[in-house]
């Protein structure tokens, strides 16, 4: 049976969320990551509300203002949960993605290649002077500085399903670019380590995220990234972790590789080497040595035509020199999955606009919960072999949430009305049935359908 049906079913959303929380033991993960409360409302209930709130048509603030907020906790309890500096959200998403990956890997061939993908994306904030650690950060898309954070993200993919493993909101390493205040914390505490990570360079933060993933049991064959993180130092650091890297080479005269006994830039290597002719998938393949601080590792550079500009070319480097050219190109193609992930999170899951908090801890919690929403959609689509995109699945969930609200409200109203009628009037059973039939027949069609579903 499909987890999310093609038609709107008022029970489908509840079943989907409940199955997700049960199958992957979300409550157990929260306890392991210190995301629990000493008394009162369980943290799991708050987590479930925050996770599902994106599927509703209004924010928590508007729910409270309009009287539609019916949860068993106050807004202060909710905000204290998000602002808690003790919850290890980095570990939470890492462990959750590991549990989901463990259920996916047996479904594919043992020869299938799994990979980590690393990239960053702009997390814009308008109220930077009041938002903790917000800064002017460089946006690689339009090559300008913007206000907010860089969301450094590590994903895991088997080529079919992509899961966000962990991530952090990077501020600026230049104190002059930091616009927001910083809360004083003990550097030995989780909150202190979280803020120290936010002020690392992107290249160092990338290695830290990979180390956390490996320490919590994640496995991958390769690490994929683009030119912004492609340097000899990064390639050697990743190799030292026991992983191979496949990345796009930066065309810079300052970055050189040892080729034919000489240190040359990629442009020089391309210029002096003989190219393949005809309709070959690649133009050039050369073995090189990557060197930094006296350490050398073998690698292979494959140059291919730029599809957007036939006169241009791009180069891909692999630290596994035994990998074939076709396989290097194929595996690197999986890197695009993280771009789809960022697009879905921003356009559909409200990554940037939903959380207005000024606390860095709350922003970290919000990012982790958005990652969890994406994992919910990803595993739902995978289990169903659903041909719909994650965006389509999201909007089906939104529609189902609206049906639940309307159906439940109609059921409560009718139940109260019929109880009152039976209490104040001595109707026979036949008279009551006749009254109900006449009443329902006089309602519009969409109301009759909603009542039928609720029944």
């Amino acid at each position: 049976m499909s987890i999310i049906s093609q038609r709107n079913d008022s029970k489908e959303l509840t079943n989907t969320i409940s199955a997700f929380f049960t199958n992957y033991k979300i409550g157990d993960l929260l306890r392991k990551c210190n995301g629990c409360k000493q008394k009162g409302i369980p943290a799991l209930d708050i987590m479930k509300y925050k996770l599902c709130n994106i599927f509703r048509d209004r924010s928590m603030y508007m729910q409270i203002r309009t009287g539609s907020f019916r949860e068993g906790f106050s807004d202060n309890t909710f905000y204290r949960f998000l602002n808690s500096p003790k919850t290890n959200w980095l570990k939470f998403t890492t462990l959750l993605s590991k549990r989901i990956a463990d259920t996916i890997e047996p479904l594919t061939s043992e020869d299938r290649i799994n990979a980590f993908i690393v990239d960053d994306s702009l997390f814009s904030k308008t109220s930077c002077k009041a938002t903790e650690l917000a800064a002017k950060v460089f946006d690689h898309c339009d090559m300008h500085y913007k206000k907010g954070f860089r969301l450094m993200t590590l994903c895991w993919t088997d080529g079919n399903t992509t899961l966000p493993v962990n991530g952090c909101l990077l501020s600026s390493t230049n104190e002059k670019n930091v616009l927001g205040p910083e809360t004083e914390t003990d550097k030995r505490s989780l909150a202190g380590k979280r803020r120290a990570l936010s002020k690392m360079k992107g290249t160092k933060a990338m290695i830290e995220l990979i180390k956390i993933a490996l320490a919590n049991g994640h496995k991958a064959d390769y690490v994929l990234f683009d030119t912004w993180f492609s340097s000899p130092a990064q390639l050697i650091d990743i190799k030292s972790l026991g992983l191979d890297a496949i990345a796009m080479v930066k065309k810079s005269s300052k970055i050189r590789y040892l080729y034919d006994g000489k240190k040359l830039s990629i442009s020089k290597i391309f210029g002096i080497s003989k190219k393949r002719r005809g309709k070959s998938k690649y133009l050039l393949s050369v073995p090189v040595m990557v060197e930094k601080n006296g350490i050398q590792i073998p690698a292979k550079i494959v140059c291919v035509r730029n599809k957007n500009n036939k006169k241009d070319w791009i180069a891909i480097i692999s630290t596994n020199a035994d990998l074939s050219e076709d396989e290097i190109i194929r595996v690197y193609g999986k890197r695009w999955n993280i771009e789809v992930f960022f697009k879905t999170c921003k356009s559909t899951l409200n990554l940037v606009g939903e959380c207005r908090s000024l606390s860095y801890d709350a922003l970290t919690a919000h990012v982790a919960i958005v990652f969890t929403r994406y994992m919910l959609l990803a595993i739902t689509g995978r289990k169903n072999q659903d041909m719909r995109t994650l965006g389509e699945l999201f909007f089906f969930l939104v529609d189902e949430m609206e049906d639940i609200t309307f159906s439940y409200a109609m059921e409560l109203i009718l139940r109260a009305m019929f109880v009152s009628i039976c209490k104040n009037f001595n109707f026979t059973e036949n008279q009551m049935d006749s009254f109900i039939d006449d009443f329902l027949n006089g309602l519009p069609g969409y109301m009759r359908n909603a009542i039928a579903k609720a029944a």
Side-chain angles (χ1 to χ4, degrees):
M1 180 179 178
S2 176
I3 296 177
I4 302 179
S5 63
Q6 296 288 346
R7 60 184 177 80
N8 286 343
D9 188 338
S10 62
K11 296 182 180 180
E12 293 295 339
L13 178 64
T14 303
N15 293 341
T16 302
I17 301 296
S18 297
F20 180 75
F21 272 69
T22 302
N23 293 339
Y24 300 108
K25 300 179 181 179
I26 304 297
D28 176 58
L29 289 181
L30 279 175
R31 285 190 293 273
K32 285 185 177 181
C33 302
N34 206 29
C36 53
K37 295 170 80 279
Q38 294 181 349
K39 59 181 180 179
I41 299 296
L44 187 63
D45 291 352
I46 305 174
M47 173 74 176
K48 187 176 291 187
Y49 169 79
K50 172 67 174 172
L51 185 75
C52 299
N53 200 42
I54 189 64
F55 303 117
R56 298 181 172 92
D57 62 348
R58 58 192 66 185
S59 64
M60 180 182 186
Y61 171 78
M62 288 307 300
Q63 290 175 37
I64 294 174
R65 290 294 301 270
T66 57
S68 58
F69 183 77
R70 297 187 178 88
E71 304 299 325
F73 51 85
S74 67
D75 55 342
N76 289 332
T77 302
F78 175 76
Y79 292 127
R80 280 197 300 270
F81 172 74
L82 291 184
N83 287 319
S84 173
K86 297 181 180 180
T87 306
N88 193 339
W89 290 108
L90 198 65
K91 183 179 179 180
F92 173 80
T93 56
T94 304
L95 291 176
L96 177 58
S97 60
K98 175 64 171 61
R99 286 188 177 180
I100 297 176
D102 286 344
T103 64
I104 292 175
E105 284 187 295
L107 303 177
T108 58
S109 168
E110 293 182 359
D111 298 330
R112 193 178 187 93
I113 290 176
N114 301 325
F116 288 137
I117 313 173
V118 184
D119 203 355
D120 66 344
S121 183
L122 177 68
F123 187 95
S124 60
K125 289 290 287 184
T126 54
S127 55
C128 281
K129 289 186 178 180
T131 303
E132 185 180 3
L133 289 175
K136 290 190 293 183
V137 293
F138 190 72
D139 184 12
H140 299 312
C141 293
D142 61 5
M143 309 300 288
H144 287 89
Y145 278 91
K146 294 185 178 179
K147 295 179 180 179
F149 301 91
R150 287 169 58 202
L151 176 57
M152 179 66 69
T153 306
L154 174 69
C155 288
W156 175 94
T157 184
D158 64 348
N160 187 344
T161 302
T162 301
L163 303 173
V165 177
N166 52 39
C168 63
L169 292 168
L170 294 180
S171 184
S172 176
T173 55
N174 186 349
E175 293 295 336
K176 295 180 180 179
N177 289 337
V178 179
L179 304 176
E182 180 181 356
T183 303
E184 292 187 6
T185 56
D186 187 340
K187 294 182 179 180
R188 299 168 297 176
S189 67
L190 176 63
K193 293 177 181 178
R194 180 181 293 157
R195 285 158 176 77
L197 181 61
S198 73
K199 291 186 285 187
M200 283 186 182
K201 288 185 176 180
T203 50
K204 291 184 178 181
M206 164 186 171
I207 298 298
E208 287 300 317
L209 294 181
I210 295 175
K211 286 181 178 178
I212 292 171
L214 294 175
N216 286 281
H218 261 290
K219 297 179 181 179
D221 301 295
Y222 298 98
V223 182
L224 313 179
F225 46 92
D226 62 10
T227 57
W228 295 109
F229 307 100
S230 179
S231 67
Q234 288 295 101
L235 297 174
I236 291 172
D237 286 344
I238 291 172
K239 191 71 174 181
S240 67
L241 297 177
L243 299 170
D244 283 304
I246 300 179
M248 188 180 295
V249 177
K250 185 181 296 184
K251 293 180 183 178
S252 172
S253 59
K254 296 180 181 179
I255 300 177
R256 300 184 180 186
Y257 304 92
L258 190 61
Y259 173 65
D260 199 18
K262 301 177 182 178
K263 288 186 176 181
L264 303 173
S265 67
I266 183 60
S267 298
K268 287 286 183 67
I269 294 174
F270 185 82
I272 65 175
S273 301
K274 185 178 179 181
K275 291 31 162 224
R276 292 168 62 93
R277 297 184 180 275
K279 296 183 178 180
S280 174
K281 288 186 178 179
Y282 61 95
L283 296 170
L284 177 67
S285 174
V286 293
V288 297
M289 296 295 291
V290 178
E291 183 179 12
K292 191 70 175 181
N293 297 330
I295 302 174
Q296 291 184 350
I297 58 172
K300 180 185 287 187
I301 294 179
V302 179
C303 299
V304 299
R305 294 180 180 87
N306 188 343
K307 291 183 179 180
N308 298 323
N309 183 0
K310 293 183 179 180
K311 295 182 180 180
D312 192 17
W313 53 274
I314 59 177
I316 303 171
I317 188 169
S318 169
T319 55
N320 182 357
D322 297 328
L323 208 60
S324 68
E325 290 79 8
D326 290 345
E327 188 69 359
I328 291 173
I329 296 169
R330 187 189 69 82
V331 173
Y332 184 74
K334 296 181 180 183
R335 197 206 70 83
W336 183 253
N337 292 348
I338 199 169
E339 303 293 349
V340 177
F341 163 76
F342 284 133
K343 178 66 175 177
T344 302
C345 287
K346 290 185 177 182
S347 300
T348 306
L349 301 181
N350 211 358
L351 171 66
V352 177
E354 180 183 1
C355 184
R356 303 293 182 182
S357 178
L358 305 179
S359 164
Y360 186 78
D361 294 312
L363 290 172
T364 301
H366 167 69
V367 169
I369 292 172
V370 171
F371 283 9
T372 306
R373 290 172 183 165
Y374 188 91
M375 285 187 252
L376 167 64
L377 294 177
I379 195 62
T380 298
R382 175 65 178 255
K383 286 186 175 181
N384 288 348
Q385 295 182 343
D386 206 316
M387 297 306 294
R388 290 172 289 181
T389 64
L390 294 185
E392 289 177 299
L393 288 172
F394 167 80
F395 285 110
F396 272 101
L397 284 169
V398 171
D399 292 340
E400 288 163 7
M401 176 62 81
E402 291 175 352
D403 284 349
I404 289 171
T405 304
F406 180 75
S407 302
Y408 184 65
M410 288 298 299
E411 183 183 1
L412 289 178
I413 293 171
L414 293 179
R415 186 180 298 168
M417 182 183 72
F418 292 145
V419 168
S420 179
I421 290 173
C422 292
K423 183 178 180 181
N424 291 281
F425 300 97
N426 295 322
F427 281 173
T428 64
E429 186 175 347
N430 290 335
Q431 287 175 325
M432 194 63 190
D433 290 341
S434 177
F435 169 75
I436 292 174
D437 290 339
D438 289 341
F439 176 79
L440 293 177
N441 290 333
L443 293 176
Y446 72 93
M447 287 190 176
R448 289 199 301 272
N449 293 336
I451 292 169
K453 288 181 181 180

